[in-house]
Amino acid sequence: MVEATATLMGSEAREAADAVRRLLDGNAAALDALGKTLRANPPKLVVTCARGSSDHAATYGKYLIETLTGVPVASAAPSVASVFGAPVAAGDFLCIAISQSGRSPDLLATVEAQKAAGARVVALVNDEGSPLAAMADTLIGLKAGPEKSVAATKSYIASLAGLAAIVAAWSQDAALGGALAALPQGLEQARDLDWSVAQEALVDARNLFVIGRGYSLAIAQEAALKFKETCGLHAEAFSAAEVRHGPMAIVNKGFPVLGFATSDTAGDSVREAAAEFAGREARVCLADAQAGGEATLPSIAGHPAIEPILMVQSFYLMTNALSVARGFDPDRPQHLRKVTETR
């Protein structure tokens, strides 16, 4: 059996702090110029283009952009361009495309259609020699370095940091900018937090819910995907608000629930749902920035928009160990490959 300490997933996840440092340093000029452009000519709409983990990052970007700039954000459905060949109505909007490889055909078709309609294209991409990078009006290189494990980790964290950097430059929010500058150090701390309680709770599990809200919804989505990819574990992600509309009916004694609660009012909603599930004797593991080190899953308090990035750093290392404990190889999930060329 593969050892947890020997996996690519584990070693790559531990490189996230250095990746974020490179991203912030290497893109400083591009981010500053983009921020000035967006303040001078604010788009009426932002459209995100992404698949898989990158689409979860786009969820995070949606909450950041809408809460800090007020500009609405919509997610493009890649099949509209790649399958239906439908044109995009011309307009004054910003297209943010997110990809590790920058090579998926349906993503490229979508960005091409957005660009033809007059969108300014910002690409967050790890492969800076990719077709997507070449299409961008503004390229934000993720600087994560080679990622050989099929399960994306450091490139996802870099995507979150890149989106936070775009919004900080655009909004000139000093609190977010300061928290972003401290993020690499925070990631170094987060990777050493002990989340073994979650590993023990899930080693024999078959199903679970993952809940978040606001800024943490994106990492709940990502966590559910990683459980399926690397652990053979069926997981569903919900907003703490949406989970009350039907899904919570199946949460009873022993049902596993993983929650990500930020220190803001959105986190209060997650804490309330977690408390209700615990009252039904569900097996609840809660990462709670408000409780910090006293939480079931110890977390680092800070800016509410940055806390989920720190949580997902801890989560990746726990999940890597969980995958091995369940008899899987997290670097080589069955039926999957690194670049999914959806058409």
Side-chain angles (χ1 to χ4, degrees), residues 195 198 208-211 223 227 256-260 285-286 297 315 318:
W195 278 33
L208 80 151
F209 283 175
V210 189
I211 57 174
F227 282 133
V257 177
L258 174 62
F260 297 103
C285 294
L286 183 64
L297 304 177
F315 167 82
M318 179 278 293

Side-chain angles (χ1 to χ4, degrees), residues 37-114:
T37 297
L38 295 176
R39 288 193 302 276
N41 298 286
K44 293 182 173 62
L45 174 71
V46 176
V47 176
T48 61
C49 300
R51 288 279 198 194
S53 292
S54 295
D55 197 34
H56 304 154
T59 298
Y60 174 75
K62 172 183 174 67
Y63 277 95
L64 272 179
I65 292 168
E66 292 189 347
T67 57
L68 294 179
T69 75
V71 178
V73 180
S75 174
S79 297
V80 170
S82 65
V83 175
F84 295 97
V88 175
D92 179 16
F93 56 100
L94 178 70
C95 172
I96 299 180
I98 310 165
S99 175
Q100 197 281 135
S101 70
R103 297 180 183 279
S104 185
D106 60 349
L107 179 67
L108 296 174
T110 302
V111 174
E112 185 176 13
Q114 298 287 328

Side-chain angles (χ1 to χ4, degrees), residues 193-202 285 296-298 314 318 321-322:
L193 295 178
D194 182 5
W195 278 33
S196 58
V197 168
Q199 179 184 337
E200 293 164 6
L202 298 173
C285 294
T296 312
L297 304 177
S314 304
M318 179 278 293
L322 176 63

Side-chain angles (χ1 to χ4, degrees), residues 118-133:
R120 178 181 185 86
V121 175
V122 175
L124 291 99
V125 61
N126 199 32
D127 184 348
E128 296 181 45
S130 65
L132 176 59

Side-chain angles (χ1 to χ4, degrees), residues 263-294:
S263 59
D264 56 4
T265 54
D268 291 341
S269 180
V270 178
R271 282 182 281 274
E272 290 164 6
E276 182 171 350
F277 292 147
R280 300 183 194 180
E281 300 183 79
R283 192 160 190 182
V284 177
C285 294
L286 183 64
D288 184 355
Q290 194 173 85
E294 300 303 314

